[in-house]
Amino acid sequence: MRHSIGVCRKEDKMSGRNQNNRPARSIRGPQSALTDFLASHNISANQIQLDHQRRRNQAQTAQDPNNTQQDGGDPSAAVTAAASPAEAAVETTADRKAREKEEKRKKDQQKALEKIKASKKFQKRKKLLDNSDEEEELARQWLGTINTPAPGQMENCAICGKRFTVTPYSRAAPQGGLLCNPCGKDLDKDDGGSAKKKKKTTAGGPVGRRRKMQSNILDGTYHIGARSLMNLCIDTLAKNIALAEDLGDLPAPLVDRIARILSKRRLLDPNTLELFLQPKAEDVHIYDGAKLSSENIMRIFQVVPKIKNLKIRNAIQFKDEVMDYVISRDNINLEGFYLHGANLVSETHFIKYLKAKGQSLRSFKIYYTDKHFGNEAVTALKEHAPALNRLKICHNQEVSGDGVREIAELKQLQHLSLDLHKSVHSDVYVHVLKNIGAGLKTLSLKMVPEIDNTVLDAIHANCRSLEKLRITDSEVMTDEGFARLFNDWENPGLITLDLQKCRQLDSAHPRANPDNLGLCSNGFRALMEHSGRTLRHLNIHACRHISREAFEEVFSAQSVYPDLRDLEISFCEEVTDFIVGSIFRSCPYLREMNVFGCMKVKDVRVPRGKILVGVPNAVGMQIDGDA
C-alpha cells in the first residue's frame, strides 16, 4: 500500500495535480535584481538562452565538416536546421503575444479617444474647429498630454529603450514618447543646436549697479553724463586684454590708463606685461607688480634699453639681484625712480646704486621699505645725487632726525614729502626749511603729531613758491599758528592744501578745546582769505573745531571760489544743510564734496553735475544732482 501510494503521489506530481485532483498552483518566489535589471532594459532572458543555443549549434556544425558537405556546404542552413521545434514555437508565441499587446493598446487608445471626445471641455473646443481632421488631431494631442509620465516617474526612452527618470525638461520624441538625456542632446544637435541662452543680466540688478557707481566715486573715476567713445573703447580693450597682441601706437596717457585698469583688476602678469614694454619708450609704469618675478622685472630693462622713468608698485620681487643688474648696465641711467613695497632690497644696495647711478637721478620716491632705507642712504643721496629735485620717503621705519637733517643739503630740491614712523623734532624741520624752503613747491609732512607752531612760522618766513602744502595729524599746532601762517604770507595762493586731522585729542572732553589746538575758525578764515581764489583741492577732514559761523562767513553770498574742484569736510560737526548749499553756490565749478560724519546734513538739493558723498541717510552715500 505504501508503495502504491507513493506511486500515485509521483504520478500526481508528474500530471500537475494534487491529492484532491485539483490543478497545481504555480508558486513563484521574488524576482532577483538581475531579472529586474534585464526587464528595465527590455532584455529577454529566453532570447539570451536561444542565442546561446544557436551559437553552440553553429560551433558544432563548424567542427563537423561531413554535416556541412551533406547540407551543400552552407553553415547557415545547418544552424537553421539545428534550431529546435521548441525554439520556433517560442518565437511564434512571442510574435502572437506582441500582436495581441498591440491590438489591446489600439483598443485602449480608441476608448480613451472616445472618452475625450465625449467630455464637455472637448465639446467646447470642438466648436472652434473647422473639420473632423482637426478634431481627431486635437483629441490625439490631448491623449498624448494625458499619457505623458509625470516628472519623477520612470519611462523607457523611445530611441534607445533605456529606462530613465522623467524630468520637466525631458524632450518628446518625434514618433511619440519621451527621450532620455543623451538621446535628447543628440536630437538637439541634429536639429541645429539647442535654443539660445538667455541674456545675462547684471549681477545684483539695480543694487549692483549702484554699488559699482559708488565704488567709482570713491576711486575718483566716476563720470557724470554720457561716456565718450574713447572711454568705452578703453574699457572694452581692458575686458578683452587676453586677446590683444599689441597696443600699437596709442598715446602714452591711454596706455597708462589701460595699465591702471588692469592693475585694479589684478590682471597684470608676465603675459600682459609685454603689451606695455616698447623698445623706444622712456617711461614704464607698473601699478601692480605682485605677480611679477625678479626675471620679469629685469626683462623690463632688457626690452626697454632707453628707459628714463621707472614706476613699480607692489614690487615685491625687486631684490638685490635686480639692483645689481641695473647697476651693471651702462646704458641704464634713470632720472625718475619710483619703488613701492621693495622691502627685500638691502640698504647696502641702495647706497651702491646711488653711488653708481645717482648723478642722473632727478626724482626718487620710495614707499614701504621697512628698515632697509635709513640715514646712511639719505646721506648717500646728498653726496651722489646733487641734481635731485623731488624726494619722497613714505612709510619708513628707519629714517630719523639725523637723516632728515641731511636733506637740507639738497639745494636743488623742489618737492619734499616725508612720512616717517620715527619722531622728528620740530627744530630739524625748521633747519631744513631755512636751507631749502625758498625753492620748495611741494611740502608734505604726514603723521607729525609732535611738531609745533615753529614749523608754521618757518614756512611763513622761508617759503615763497609753495603750491602744495600738507600737514596732517598735528596735535600741538594751534589755531593762532595757522592764522599767523596765512596772514600777510608772501607766498602766492596755494593750489592744494591738506590739513586733515589737525585737531585737539582728548577722549575725556572731546569737544572742549580751551587752547584752540588744531585748525579752528580763525585759521580757516585766514587760509580761505589767502588762497581761496586759487585753491583746487582743500582737505580739512576732522577739523571739528571750525564753528558754524566761520563756515557761513567764508561761504557767504558775496564769496566766490572759482577754481575749487574737490572739498573734503568730513567730520566737521558744525556743517549743516545751509552750509552745504552755500558751498555749492560759492564754488560754481565744484565737482565733488565729502560730508562723511556730518550728522547735521539731512536733506540737500544738489545742483546738476555735482557729487555729494557721505550723506548720512538711507538713500545712499551719494546724491547725483538733478536740481
Side-chain angles (χ1 to χ4, degrees), residues 570-623:
S570 297
F571 297 97
C572 293
E573 299 178 352
E574 297 300 324
V575 175
T576 62
D577 292 342
F578 176 75
I579 293 175
V580 172
S582 300
I583 292 173
F584 281 125
R585 181 189 58 216
S586 299
C587 307
Y589 297 102
L590 186 67
R591 178 181 176 273
E592 180 178 336
M593 177 165 51
N594 292 350
V595 291
F596 287 102
C598 299
M599 306 309 294
K600 295 182 180 180
V601 177
K602 300 182 181 299
D603 186 14
V604 182
R605 295 199 65 184
V606 183
R608 184 179 298 276
K610 315 295 183 183
I611 299 175
L612 182 63
V613 183
V615 181
N617 56 23
V619 176
M621 68 170 221
Q622 182 269 342
I623 298 177

Side-chain angles (χ1 to χ4, degrees), residues 126-141:
K126 180 180 177 181
K127 297 178 181 179
L128 304 176
L129 302 178
D130 296 335
N131 49 43
S132 58
D133 293 338
E134 293 184 1
E135 177 183 345
E136 186 70 19
E137 182 179 355
L138 179 61
R140 291 187 177 277
Q141 182 179 355

Side-chain angles (χ1 to χ4, degrees), residues 382-576:
K382 178 193 70 172
E383 297 174 353
H384 304 290
L388 192 68
N389 59 38
R390 187 183 295 269
L391 176 62
K392 192 168 188 177
I393 305 174
C394 289
H395 301 281
N396 185 280
Q397 303 177 15
E398 188 64 21
V399 176
S400 62
D402 295 336
V404 175
R405 192 179 296 274
E406 298 294 336
I407 297 176
E409 303 300 325
L410 296 171
K411 301 299 182 180
Q412 303 296 325
L413 204 61
Q414 297 180 359
H415 306 274
L416 176 62
S417 299
L418 299 176
D419 182 3
L420 310 177
H421 288 195
K422 288 189 175 181
S423 177
V424 179
H425 196 272
S426 299
D427 294 342
V428 177
Y429 290 114
V430 172
H431 172 71
V432 173
L433 291 171
K434 286 182 178 180
N435 284 271
I436 62 174
L440 286 180
K441 295 182 179 179
T442 299
L443 177 61
S444 176
L445 305 177
K446 297 182 68 175
M447 301 292 293
V448 284
E450 298 180 0
I451 65 174
D452 53 25
N453 290 340
T454 57
V455 177
L456 297 178
D457 294 336
I459 295 173
H460 178 88
N462 298 285
C463 296
R464 297 291 182 269
S465 305
L466 275 184
E467 297 176 355
K468 179 179 179 180
L469 176 62
R470 176 182 289 115
I471 300 175
T472 67
D473 294 86
S474 174
E475 302 175 11
V476 182
M477 292 179 176
T478 64
D479 186 46
E480 184 180 355
F482 283 109
R484 287 201 307 267
L485 168 64
F486 292 104
N487 288 330
D488 301 325
W489 190 16
E490 296 180 5
N491 190 84
L494 298 173
I495 296 176
T496 301
L497 179 60
D498 183 0
L499 299 176
Q500 64 173 311
K501 298 183 181 180
C502 290
R503 80 284 197 211
Q504 179 258 359
L505 289 179
D506 186 356
S507 58
H509 304 89
R511 289 178 174 80
N513 188 15
D515 298 327
N516 287 331
L517 297 177
L519 179 66
C520 302
S521 301
N522 293 332
F524 181 60
R525 292 189 183 98
L527 78 87
M528 293 303 293
E529 183 178 353
H530 176 269
S531 303
R533 298 190 62 82
T534 59
L535 276 175
R536 295 182 183 176
H537 310 280
L538 176 60
N539 187 347
I540 52 174
H541 173 93
C543 296
R544 60 174 181 268
H545 299 295
I546 302 176
S547 65
R548 176 178 57 84
E549 291 78 8
F551 277 113
E552 293 178 355
E553 180 182 342
V554 168
F555 297 104
S556 62
Q558 295 77 24
S559 302
V560 178
Y561 306 102
D563 292 339
L564 195 59
R565 298 292 187 271
D566 299 298
L567 179 61
E568 170 65 79
I569 54 175
S570 297
F571 297 97
C572 293
E573 299 178 352
E574 297 300 324
V575 175
T576 62

